[in-house]
Amino acid sequence: MTLVGMALRNLMHRPWRSGLSVGGVVLAIAAYVALVGLVVGIEGTMVDGFTSRGADLVLSEAGAEDILSSVVPDDLAAEIATTPGVAAASAELGRLTSMNDGPTIYVLGWAPGAFGWASVDFIAGRAPEPGDAGGGVAGGIGVGRALADRHGLKIGESVSIFAAPFRITGIFEAKSVIVGNGAIARLSDVQAQTYRKGQATALVAQFDPGLDGAGREAVMADLRARFPALAVDPTETLIDEFMNLRIARVLAWSVSSVAIVSAALAVLNTMAMAVNERRGEIAIMGAVGWPRRRIILCLIVEGMVLTLIGSVLGVGVGIAAAWGITSAPAVAGFVVPVVETATILRALALGIGIGLIGTLGPAWRAAGRDPAAILRGH
Amino acid sequence: MTGDIAIRAEGLVKRYPSMHRAALDGLSLMVETGEMLAITGPSGSGKSTAMYALAGLIGLEAGRVEIAGRRPEGRADWTRLRAGPIGLVFQEDWLLPTLSAAQNVAMPMVGGRRRARDRLIRAEALLAEVGLAGMGARAPAGLSGGERQRVAIARALANDPSILLADEPTGELDRDNSRQIVRLLSELSARAGVTMVIVTHDPEVAAACTRQVRLVDGRIEGGP
């Protein structure tokens, strides 16, 4: 018999109460893991959308809430491309829109010769060309394989995008989830259908190969000086700029915090009740020579076992919930949840914290009670 | 009896807020090593309070206790004594319902030098000593009142104490079980030389002891 063995027996002795407390911890940890996993996933999907096509830098409208709200002149791409240290630059126009009045998809408009074209692999058909527009057709469009598979799209088929008919010219594979679940058309065709002639949402650029960190910083400083109305961000830190993602992060933390505080209260309640019911048992521990710290440790172990079981289950449930949420039709293809090892470790640490907060108080109080009064039945 | 002093209590005073007089009113008491002393007296005379005072389970307003050759000063000292030379038996058995009989007996040994397996082996041996051989796996709920009190006695012997303090150990038992427990305590005292102080209101239990003192109003009747 060990302290852990005693804790397990006590928990199993009251299976309903223990089960409900574990359930509270599972919900809290699952909420944390799922929400953080989704936010990190959204951030990662966005960053991946740029990095997978070789963009080192993203230039967008300074102060824009997010990349899709940004408006920048597309002709700046040529100027940016001439900046020393910049290998290539191109304009792109990204929009979220419905396809055939149905699912929302991400549509990108890329200029001819944009380096992004090299990052997608047309496994059937071809990329859109200038001659695709005309005769009642707004233009050609390439669709990602995941999007084509999900909606049974075929080459030559006409799809309604921006309430205009686009003809599918090819199906491509992309490394990025969001691009692979979206569609790519020519920049001019997208501009024409969205009343954004001469406009783009972002200008993407590649550094000269071999440029070191200091060189990259110098290029960015140069661009910021030359284009003060633009936000110049390396793709890795792009997400820090956008208000919507910051709000999502705060919301994730807020909801997680509420769940975690609720779980701590549930454990506190469980342990307070358990300790109160077992005053006699705790008193006899003191009477047979258990020092106060061992009695407290015994009760803490009980709370910790409860919360550790809940935390481990919570991590599993959280991962499953995150994947379940992202497979819902409304968001499928936009987000891949990312549950990092650090998130799991933080979740387990939170679980341990819940156990300590919920257990320490009742344990301390119980171990400090006068055993004589309890043993004599007073 | 060896003539050595196992317990020396001098001028113990204990007041409870709910009582108009002292529960212990300058109690002084001496118990020799190997002695089996019965403390008797009417209800409210301070018998149980005396036992709790000798075990360090209550704080005192005045007086001092020397027990097992030590003069404990604070809570930690008393805790160490109860984990070693002092064993305790109460009117209720206070067995932990989630543990088996053997695990209950092994409970005081947790945190000591013995490994978990050795603790259980010793617990089984102690159960055999109190007449419960082979019953270590039983849950307390599956034992009779007398058997449960035997387990409690085995638990009190877990750390090989030299002094056993018992508060009404037969108080909740029928006559037969009560006699068995008294016989067991007498055997332990005779065989192992354990010094015993037994608080009881039962004349038959008191008669089994080697000496009796009677407490009245928190003092020994006829004492100093």
Side-chain angles (χ1 to χ4, degrees):
Chain A
M1 187 190 55
T2 59
L3 290 184
V4 175
M6 284 181 74
L8 284 172
R9 281 170 176 272
N10 281 328
L11 291 173
M12 286 188 294
H13 191 63
R14 297 162 180 87
W16 272 103
R17 186 194 295 166
S18 302
L20 288 171
S21 298
V22 167
V25 178
V26 168
L27 280 180
I29 299 299
Y32 171 78
V33 169
L35 289 170
V36 173
L38 286 171
V39 169
V40 174
I42 291 167
E43 293 171 351
T45 306
M46 282 200 66
V47 170
D48 190 43
F50 288 103
T51 55
S52 68
R53 55 183 189 268
D56 298 318
L57 270 181
V58 179
L59 297 92
S60 56
E61 179 189 342
E65 275 196 16
D66 59 45
I67 198 83
L68 297 181
S69 328
S70 157
V71 179
V72 292
D74 63 2
D75 55 7
L76 285 183
E79 274 189 65
I80 289 164
T82 62
T83 306
V86 172
S90 59
E92 66 177 41
L93 180 56
R95 308 301 297 156
L96 283 172
T97 187
S98 63
M99 182 180 73
N100 293 337
D101 291 330
T104 300
I105 63 166
Y106 184 48
V107 178
L108 275 165
W110 282 350
F115 57 80
W117 290 110
S119 68
V120 292
D121 177 18
F122 276 86
I123 53 172
R126 58 168 174 78
E129 292 174 356
D132 294 331
V137 175
I141 196 162
V143 294
R145 190 165 85 165
L147 180 69
D149 288 349
R150 210 165 55 245
H151 298 286
L153 303 176
K154 293 191 171 50
I155 294 170
E157 192 178 323
S158 177
V159 286
S160 172
I161 290 172
F162 309 120
F166 277 77
R167 189 167 314 282
I168 297 172
T169 59
I171 295 172
F172 63 83
E173 289 268 28
K175 287 179 195 154
S176 156
V177 172
I178 196 164
V179 177
N181 280 279
I184 307 169
R186 289 167 54 80
L187 176 63
S188 54
D189 293 342
V190 178
Q191 286 173 328
Q193 296 306 320
T194 56
Y195 306 102
R196 286 175 180 249
K197 200 166 175 53
Q199 293 179 352
T201 45
L203 304 160
V204 291
Q206 289 177 318
F207 288 119
D208 274 336
L211 204 62
D212 62 13
R216 290 176 174 220
E217 285 297 329
V219 171
M220 287 190 285
D222 184 13
L223 288 170
R224 284 183 188 119
R226 285 176 60 201
F227 306 103
L230 296 181
V232 181
D233 297 293
T235 48
E236 294 80 13
T237 58
L238 174 72
I239 49 173
D240 296 332
E241 282 293 314
F242 300 118
M243 180 61 78
N244 289 345
L245 280 171
R246 285 208 294 267
I247 291 170
R249 269 188 221 156
V250 171
L251 277 176
W253 274 106
S254 306
V255 175
S256 303
S257 301
V258 169
I260 286 161
V261 170
S262 304
L265 289 175
V267 173
L268 182 76
N269 184 47
T270 299
M271 291 310 296
M273 285 172 73
V275 158
N276 201 41
E277 275 178 15
R278 285 157 43 205
R279 279 177 303 174
E281 295 175 30
I282 293 161
I284 200 70
M285 288 174 181
V288 301
W290 275 33
R292 190 177 182 189
R293 65 176 180 281
R294 194 186 305 150
I295 298 172
I296 291 171
L297 185 64
C298 182
L299 295 167
I300 286 177
V301 166
E302 198 170 313
M304 298 306 289
V305 168
L306 194 102
T307 46
L308 271 179
I309 292 170
S311 301
V312 171
L313 290 174
V315 167
V317 171
I319 292 171
W323 280 96
I325 289 165
T326 52
S327 65
V331 289
F334 288 105
V335 187
V336 174
V338 177
V339 180
E340 296 164 319
T341 308
T343 304
I344 292 173
L345 292 177
R346 273 198 295 269
L348 294 175
L350 280 170
I352 290 168
I354 289 170
L356 279 175
I357 291 167
T359 312
L360 202 55
W364 190 270
R365 243 187 26 244
R369 282 190 184 129
D370 175 12
I374 297 161
L375 296 171
R376 295 173 69 182
H378 291 180
Chain B
M1 280 188 277
T2 65
D4 293 339
I5 303 301
I7 303 170
R8 188 196 308 271
E10 288 173 4
L12 306 187
V13 176
K14 174 66 184 174
R15 295 178 200 283
Y16 292 114
S18 56
M19 288 175 71
H20 66 279
R21 60 172 176 76
L24 297 180
D25 189 14
L27 172 71
S28 293
L29 179 73
M30 214 173 335
V31 185
E32 290 186 5
T33 300
E35 197 176 5
M36 190 171 176
L37 174 73
I39 299 179
T40 63
S43 290
S45 60
K47 303 188 296 292
S48 293
T49 302
M51 190 215 106
Y52 283 95
L54 297 180
L57 286 170
I58 53 172
L60 295 167
E61 275 75 52
R64 60 183 186 182
V65 176
E66 191 180 320
I67 188 162
R70 276 175 257 179
R71 190 170 291 170
E73 295 289 345
R75 188 175 180 144
D77 281 353
W78 279 111
T79 300
R80 272 193 290 275
L81 280 168
R82 291 196 300 272
I86 301 177
L88 297 175
V89 178
F90 300 92
Q91 184 168 346
E92 278 184 59
D93 54 70
W94 292 112
L95 298 183
L96 272 59
T98 54
L99 303 183
S100 68
Q103 287 168 331
N104 266 286
V105 175
M107 198 258 283
M109 295 184 260
V110 172
R113 286 194 214 101
R114 291 188 180 91
R115 289 180 304 175
R117 192 166 165 273
D118 295 337
R119 291 198 290 264
L120 280 178
I121 290 170
R122 174 161 169 76
E124 292 285 359
L126 286 168
L127 284 172
E129 207 171 317
V130 298
L132 296 176
M135 294 174 75
R138 294 261 197 99
L143 299 172
S144 69
E147 288 169 338
R148 290 168 63 99
Q149 194 61 309
R150 283 165 186 267
V151 175
I153 291 169
R155 179 182 62 196
L157 299 172
N159 286 325
D160 206 13
S162 57
I163 298 167
L164 193 72
L165 305 176
D167 181 23
E168 302 278 12
T170 61
E172 296 207 335
L173 301 178
D174 59 30
R175 183 55 58 193
D176 279 351
N177 274 311
S178 176
R179 283 179 181 152
Q180 285 176 26
I181 293 294
V182 171
R183 199 176 309 128
L184 173 65
L185 291 173
S186 301
E187 282 170 14
L188 285 171
S189 174
R191 182 160 26 101
V194 177
T195 304
M196 291 197 193
V197 176
I198 301 174
V199 170
T200 183
H201 64 273
D202 184 340
E204 203 171 327
V205 176
C209 295
T210 54
R211 185 162 69 99
Q212 296 181 33
V213 293
R214 180 175 161 81
L215 240 63
V216 176
D217 293 339
R219 299 172 73 94
I220 291 176
E221 197 174 46

